[in-house]
Amino acid sequence: MAMKRGATAALWLVAAVAGMLLHADAQTLVYKYYAQKCPAAESIVFDEVQKAWNADRSMPASLLRLHFHDCFVNGCDGSVLLEASDGQAEKNAQPNLSLRGYDVVDRVKARLEATCKQTVSCADILAYAARDSVRVMTGGYKYEVPGGRPDGTVSRASMTGDLPSPKQRNVDQLARYFTSKGLTVDDMVVLSGAHTLGVARCGTFGYRLTSDGDKGMDAAFRNALRKQCNYNSNNVAALDAGSEYGFDTSYYANVLANRTVLESDAALNSPRTLARVTQLRGNQALFTSSFAAAMVKMGGLRGGYAGKVRDNCRRVRT
């Protein structure tokens, strides 16, 4: 049975004991990294994520997306948070214009600076916030996330070409975005399950709703989306129809039923990924544990321009 918002079950995935090292894409991270440096670090992040979720049920999806978009450009270094005087930072690139959650990160950072000055990196805040987004949406499922990511110093809009396109229907081409980062096709399928949360603007997928549009979309679903969008590109539709606030496997059921709004999700209904999608559709525990492992793996992608721990996540500390 899928665990929905407010579920009471508290599940724990202990990825490693304290002090164990994680090696991913040549980056060494450490579990319980802040146990001595800043013992309250992870609890502060969780507290702010929970407050954000209480105020806006869509925020966990936004925080997950923020971490993903950070890691796929120059590794997990918090560079997506930086601002540039010329307005050409990563966050200003077209794929990132709809990112949200910066204010949540700012609140976390302010509390951490008051508690442990210049100690907890913004890159680690994003990783912990993504984990805690899953935790609040499931009512308690927690997995361990290692820390020690340095904050990056470079953020340019021109560097965002590595972000997977939501219009990519070819599963082999979609997979290359992931394998080029040292991730696998299985990681791609599992991480795509983050789309069990959140929405997309109609302007992102409206081309699929035209009379000569995507013939692979379920006809009844397409008609429902036409009514929902009503020719307004700013209207939104759930990425996981019928379950946008549940961290569950219905996303995979929708993939198999051709009821996805994004072509990159529709691409998973392909021979190369069909078996894994089918397996995840019917097994909540498998999906949740697989997602946790894939997130930890992605969260280990090395940043290319390491700098000092920032005291403000929007600017480099010199």
Side-chain angles (χ1 to χ4, degrees):
M1 180 177 178
M3 292 181 293
K4 295 287 186 178
R5 182 178 65 207
T8 57
L11 302 178
W12 293 78
L13 175 68
V14 180
V17 297
M20 181 176 289
L21 302 181
L22 174 79
H23 299 276
D25 194 29
Q27 176 160 252
T28 300
L29 301 176
V30 182
Y31 287 95
K32 308 296 183 184
Y33 183 76
Y34 295 104
Q36 301 300 321
K37 299 170 182 283
C38 187
E42 293 190 45
S43 62
I44 287 174
V45 176
F46 175 69
D47 184 55
E48 289 300 326
V49 170
Q50 190 167 47
K51 288 178 181 176
W53 172 69
N54 286 334
D56 180 356
R57 289 303 200 243
S58 67
M59 187 52 70
S62 296
L63 292 172
L64 277 168
R65 187 169 178 239
L66 199 57
H67 182 45
F68 183 94
H69 280 233
D70 181 46
C71 290
F72 262 67
V73 181
N74 292 328
C76 308
D77 63 353
S79 56
V80 73
L81 303 172
L82 289 172
E83 296 179 346
S85 58
D86 64 355
Q88 289 300 309
E90 285 176 36
K91 63 169 58 176
N92 303 117
Q94 187 62 40
N96 290 337
L97 292 178
S98 59
L99 291 179
R100 302 167 62 237
Y102 300 112
D103 54 336
V104 178
V105 175
D106 288 341
R107 288 194 292 271
V108 171
K109 188 58 175 171
R111 286 183 60 183
L112 287 171
E113 286 301 298
T115 306
C116 315
K117 188 174 179 60
Q118 297 174 349
T119 301
V120 182
S121 71
C122 299
D124 280 343
I125 290 173
L126 287 177
Y128 293 142
R131 181 268 310 277
D132 292 336
S133 294
V134 174
R135 187 177 175 187
V136 297
M137 292 302 292
T138 59
Y141 189 98
K142 180 182 179 182
Y143 56 94
E144 293 298 324
V145 170
R149 299 166 187 79
D151 282 332
T153 59
V154 175
S155 181
R156 301 302 296 167
S158 59
M159 294 178 171
T160 58
D162 286 345
L163 288 170
S165 170
K167 296 181 179 181
Q168 182 53 259
R169 183 61 178 268
N170 184 295
V171 72
D172 295 320
Q173 292 180 18
L174 185 65
R176 291 191 189 103
Y177 287 102
F178 291 80
T179 56
S180 68
K181 302 294 182 183
L183 301 172
T184 66
V185 173
D186 187 73
D187 293 328
M188 175 185 73
V189 174
V190 173
L191 290 171
S192 294
H195 286 174
T196 186
L197 304 173
V199 298
R201 292 191 183 279
C202 292
T204 304
F205 61 87
Y207 66 94
R208 299 188 71 197
L209 308 182
T210 62
S211 59
D212 58 348
D214 190 341
K215 304 303 182 184
M217 183 184 286
D218 176 79
F221 181 61
R222 182 169 58 244
N223 288 336
L225 287 176
R226 284 173 177 163
K227 293 178 181 179
Q228 191 169 348
C229 290
N230 194 28
Y231 301 102
N232 187 336
S233 61
N234 289 319
N235 286 350
V236 298
L239 292 171
D240 183 11
S243 184
E244 68 180 281
Y245 296 119
F247 192 83
D248 54 36
T249 63
S250 65
Y251 163 78
Y252 295 105
N254 280 328
V255 169
L256 294 173
N258 295 317
R259 291 170 52 85
T260 59
V261 300
L262 302 181
E263 282 197 281
S264 56
D265 289 334
L268 300 186
N269 192 1
S270 301
R272 187 175 182 183
T273 51
L274 185 60
R276 183 59 161 159
V277 170
T278 302
Q279 182 185 43
L280 291 168
R281 173 191 59 179
N283 193 325
Q284 177 67 35
L286 177 63
F287 166 54
T288 315
S289 61
S290 298
F291 186 81
M295 286 291 287
V296 170
K297 184 176 179 181
M298 183 191 74
L301 296 177
R302 176 185 285 277
Y305 306 91
K308 297 178 181 178
V309 171
R310 301 176 207 148
D311 46 26
N312 182 327
C313 290
R314 295 174 184 258
R315 61 173 183 256
V316 173
R317 179 177 148 228
T318 57

